[in-house]
Amino acid sequence: MNAMVKPELICPAGTPAALRSAVDAGADAVYCGYQNATNARNFVGLNFTPEEMENSIRYAHEGGTKVLITLNTFPPAGKVELWKEMVDLSARLGADACIVADIAVAAYIRDNHPDMRIHLSVQAAASSPEAIEYYVREFGVKRVVLPRIMTVSEIRDLLKEIPCEVETFIFGNHGLMVEGRCSLTTYVTGQSTNMDGACSPAACVKYERADDGSMSTILGDYMIDRFGPEETAGYPTICKGRYKCDARDGGYYAFEEPVSLNASNMLPDLITAGVHAFKIEGRQRSKAYVKKVVAAFREAVDSIMAGQEPKLADLIALTEGQKQTEGALKTKKWR
Amino acid sequence: MASEPQSSRLGAGPGGFAFAPPLPLFLLNPILKRIVHRIAVQNPDMFDRLGPHRHAYFLIDPVDIPFMLYLRPDPEALDFRAVGRRNPPPHAARISGKFLDLLTLMDTEQDGDALFFSRDLIVTGDTEAVVCLRNALDDVDDPIAESVADMFGPPGRAALNALRRAAENAQKRKGAK
């Protein structure tokens, strides 16, 4: 076996305060985006102004932490200028990499900012050696963020065949739908996750409570779930909705269940597989979440690298629906 | 306005309200006004995250105390006062939870989504306004609960520490269930 390479811990930040929490908790890199459609967490009240980004990059670099900027949506026809402006801004501010999904954005970085690292977003959904080699060859991609549909064994085999780094999700929202190709929210809200950066925008979400304590989640004009008085809840996304269908009795989670990925127990396997970076999802979450999750995984990764049994903090309270899974990392039949 | 049903999980319970008001409301309101103005002065950038929702009224409902809080986070026209439970004033959104859970949110020790998942936090009304308020309050470095406690010197800090211990114990009891 080759000597283990210590994976970078890539942590989320939706606000400057969350970024500072991530840096202070031991993040190797923080990923964050601007307050516009160029990033796939384009939620109201979230993200960074150019001035906040500049100050945050300075803070991160002083703490030895990299900043990766998410430009990971797909520009609609005629609107690519905004993405180019954000690339130029990121280069000017000294970002360490841009995380991109769209080939036009990648080509713009390649041609205009050859020193800028390009990380291929999970939104690009590249998972085969051929697809990844294409991105590396044509755009100089340095790292690919893998979709959450691969087992550890598949990741290990993939790493033997590709000429770039690999980043895998280890905690947070479990979006098993192939990101970048999911249009569910568009059908209901008219806004696109992939082009507007907003899955289930809050303006389209309503929670209705009934006298018995149950709660209905309404997205647009549709009820997508109803939680009993004692049931835990999940995010208001269609992929996590519960539906009635002829083949099932009662409500049925047709796509996915409200559950979070937690790969704590699989960290040693992922490290020996050669994964270069571990990603924590959650730019929409609070700095309390960032602080707790980053600190927990910092300690776990450091323990493993020191040859010790990792101490795995109990993070169940922070998971969606207070349920967690190792997902496809362990088995394709995880449900 | 539609009625706001109580949760079976949340509520004062048969023993009445767990936290009694320290003062009558007419004496409490000047203190609340002072608190919100101090927080606004300390964190002027916070309001940018609210966008148009800075003009909205939020009803903050600590279900285990006998009154609610009424907030308009508009730096040009700040309003923060205690209101009775019988006739809640018009509001864009209502945020309900146990007092200690709301306190730990303000103390940046709790994640709002986690409280929502566990059904310990209830949101009704304009979800976008609530999300903006949450993001605005979360983007301050010094916990707001701590800033408020500091305003009252050593007694304030002692009270916050006592409440933190109570919140920690409540958390442990919840985890043990």
Side-chain angles (χ1 to χ4, degrees), chain A residues 12-316:
Chain A
T15 62
L19 178 139
R20 291 189 286 273
S21 292
V23 170
D24 296 347
D28 293 307
V30 177
Y31 65 103
C32 47
Y34 299 108
Q35 292 175 346
N36 56 44
T38 59
N39 100 72
R41 285 282 186 268
N42 182 24
F43 296 136
V44 286
L46 209 64
N47 299 312
F48 293 63
T49 64
E51 189 188 357
E52 288 171 342
M53 190 66 86
E54 183 174 16
N55 294 334
S56 298
I57 289 175
R58 190 181 308 121
Y59 185 89
H61 286 174
E62 283 170 5
T65 303
K66 296 172 189 164
V67 176
L68 319 178
I69 298 194
T70 50
L71 303 172
N72 56 345
T73 45
F74 296 87
K79 294 186 178 174
V80 75
E81 282 309 312
L82 176 64
W83 277 254
K84 290 179 180 177
E85 283 170 25
M86 294 302 109
V87 167
D88 294 341
L89 175 64
S90 303
R92 201 164 60 242
L93 298 181
D96 297 280
C98 288
I99 306 173
V100 307
D102 185 80
I103 54 175
V105 181
Y108 182 79
I109 297 175
R110 176 199 62 198
D111 295 342
N112 295 278
H113 301 284
D115 295 333
M116 174 68 80
R117 272 176 71 97
I118 302 176
H119 291 188
L120 191 66
S121 168
V122 68
Q123 294 289 110
S127 56
S128 70
E130 292 80 4
I132 294 168
E133 276 173 17
Y134 173 81
Y135 280 106
V136 173
R137 187 176 66 246
E138 296 299 324
F139 306 105
V141 162
K142 295 287 191 292
R143 178 183 294 175
V144 58
V145 185
L146 294 179
R148 282 160 275 203
I149 53 169
M150 299 178 74
T151 63
V152 173
S153 164
E154 286 175 329
I155 294 169
R156 185 183 296 114
D157 291 343
L158 179 75
L159 271 158
K160 291 173 189 159
E161 295 190 52
I162 59 170
C164 71
E165 300 170 4
V166 153
E167 184 171 309
T168 58
F169 282 92
I170 55 166
F171 191 84
N173 182 33
H174 193 229
L176 264 195
M177 318 277 312
V178 179
E179 290 96 332
R181 295 177 193 165
C182 174
S183 295
L184 287 174
T185 199
T186 316
Y187 299 138
V188 172
T189 68
Q191 292 192 51
S192 164
T193 309
N194 308 315
M195 291 191 280
D196 300 308
C199 175
S200 292
C204 300
V205 176
K206 281 262 182 289
Y207 298 106
E208 288 181 1
R209 297 186 48 72
D211 289 338
D212 66 355
S214 65
M215 177 181 78
S216 299
T217 304
I218 318 286
L219 183 67
D221 296 329
Y222 301 93
M223 182 192 298
I224 60 171
D225 209 338
R226 177 184 283 152
F227 301 99
E230 301 300 326
E231 260 188 309
T232 54
Y235 279 123
T237 58
I238 297 175
C239 64
K240 304 283 178 80
R242 191 161 33 175
Y243 307 98
K244 288 185 176 170
C245 64
D246 293 341
R248 299 266 180 166
D249 293 328
Y252 168 53
Y253 286 110
F255 301 97
E256 301 169 19
E257 294 172 29
V259 62
S260 290
L261 175 70
N262 185 354
S264 299
N265 290 315
M266 309 206 70
L267 296 183
D269 291 341
L270 288 165
I271 291 173
T272 53
V275 169
H276 301 84
F278 290 151
K279 183 167 220 148
I280 295 166
E281 187 276 343
R283 283 190 285 144
Q284 73 285 11
R285 302 291 291 264
S286 67
K287 63 176 190 279
Y289 167 95
V290 169
K291 194 165 76 174
K292 285 177 189 169
V293 178
V294 174
F297 280 101
R298 178 76 280 155
E299 187 171 1
V301 170
D302 289 350
S303 298
I304 294 166
M305 295 309 297
Q308 298 161 359
E309 195 66 26
K311 293 173 199 155
L312 302 174
D314 183 4
L315 299 172
I316 191 76

Side-chain angles (χ1 to χ4, degrees), chain B residues 51-58 71-74 79 90-93 126 129:
Chain B
H53 300 295
R54 64 176 58 190
H55 307 302
Y57 268 105
F58 296 86
L71 168 71
R72 181 170 59 180
D74 183 347
D79 194 0
H91 51 274
D126 188 334

